[in-house]
Structure formats: C-alpha cells, structure tokens
Amino acid sequence: MTEAGFNVHATAIVVGKTGLLFSGPSGWGKSMLAFTCMTEARRLGLFTALVADDQVLLSREAGAVIATCPPSIIGLIELRGTGIVRQDHIPRAVMHYAVLPGSATGEDRVPPEGEMVSLAAGFSLPALRLLTGVSSPLAILMAKVPDIGR
C-alpha cells in the first residue's frame, strides 16, 4: 500500500542499491554534492543514477521512503554556476539515508550517532552529515556507512 506523498526541496540519487537524499537549505550545494558522488561512483565502477533534483516527490510503500521525480525535470540536474545537465536516471528508488549539512566547528562538528531526520509526519531517515566543498563526498559517506554502493 502506498501512502500519499509530498514534494521536498532536495536531490535524490542511487549509488549501487543505496538511496541518498541530499536535503538542506537553498545554496548548500545539494546538487553539486550529489553530482560529485555520482561521478565518484562511476569511477569506482558502481551503478549510480539520478532520481530527482530540486524537487523530489516522496511517498511511503511498505514502510520504505520512495523518491520519484516530477515529469518536467526527469534526468536533469542543476550545477550552480554551470547550468543544467542531463544525467542517467531511474524513475524511482527507495531512499536509505538523508545527507544533511555538517558543521566544522562547535558542538555540532561531531553529529550524534544514530541521528534521524524527520522529512514530514511519518517520513524519517537516518541522517549522514557532510560538509560542502569536500573533494570526495562519496568516499566520506562510504567511510561512515561501508554498505553504501552495495
């Protein structure tokens, strides 16, 4: 049974069989981080695809969070300062983690273990924190969760 969904400002990709939802404030670099992760995955010989950029439609099926893309932007990702580019894409995927902005200073620089993020009522995912501008975001995510990409 599918639960009604909603539209979130995020970028959704798949690396291997792992769904990653990049969520955060406008200008954080969600699209560029997701694109860089897909580029890294390809170099590693891993399957990767875009699900949606900028607008991600989320729903629930059998307890899983499912991401899909509005028809008008299928296969497109905006790389700020460069423009809109076409990427290999899939129509839908289960999302396993929410990738959120990290902090380099203060008490927040080491996020709590087991952190969950609520995307809306009844929609939550385990959170992974990532700084923008890192050169190998996928390597960092894989260091935290070795199953990413498998």
Side-chain angles (χ1 to χ4, degrees):
M1 180 175 155
T2 302
E3 290 182 39
F6 57 97
N7 190 332
V8 296
H9 180 70
T11 300
I13 67 170
V14 172
V15 175
K17 295 180 182 179
T18 306
L20 300 170
L21 182 73
F22 292 77
S23 181
S26 185
W28 172 55
K30 298 176 288 291
S31 300
M32 191 63 78
L33 285 168
F35 176 80
T36 304
C37 283
M38 289 189 299
T39 301
E40 282 183 81
R42 283 186 201 101
R43 287 183 183 145
L44 293 171
L46 299 172
F47 170 79
T48 188
L50 176 69
V51 179
D53 179 51
D54 192 49
Q55 298 179 54
V56 180
L57 304 175
L58 295 180
S59 60
R60 286 185 68 83
E61 277 183 34
V65 176
I66 307 295
T68 58
C69 186
S72 61
I73 58 172
I74 288 173
L76 302 176
I77 187 169
E78 180 186 359
L79 303 178
R80 190 170 294 230
T82 300
I84 297 172
V85 298
R86 189 163 295 283
Q87 288 290 289
D88 292 339
H89 66 278
I90 57 175
R92 57 186 277 131
V94 173
M95 293 291 104
H96 297 94
Y97 297 97
V99 181
L100 307 172
S103 175
T105 61
E107 294 176 15
D108 295 338
R109 76 175 193 199
V110 178
E113 286 296 320
E115 180 183 14
M116 297 289 290
V117 62
S118 176
L119 306 165
F123 288 78
S124 61
L125 290 171
L128 299 173
R129 297 284 176 168
L130 191 60
L131 293 175
T132 190
V134 295
S135 61
S136 298
L138 183 61
I140 293 168
L141 294 174
M142 292 172 84
K144 182 72 176 172
V145 182
D147 287 344
I148 289 177
R150 292 184 175 86

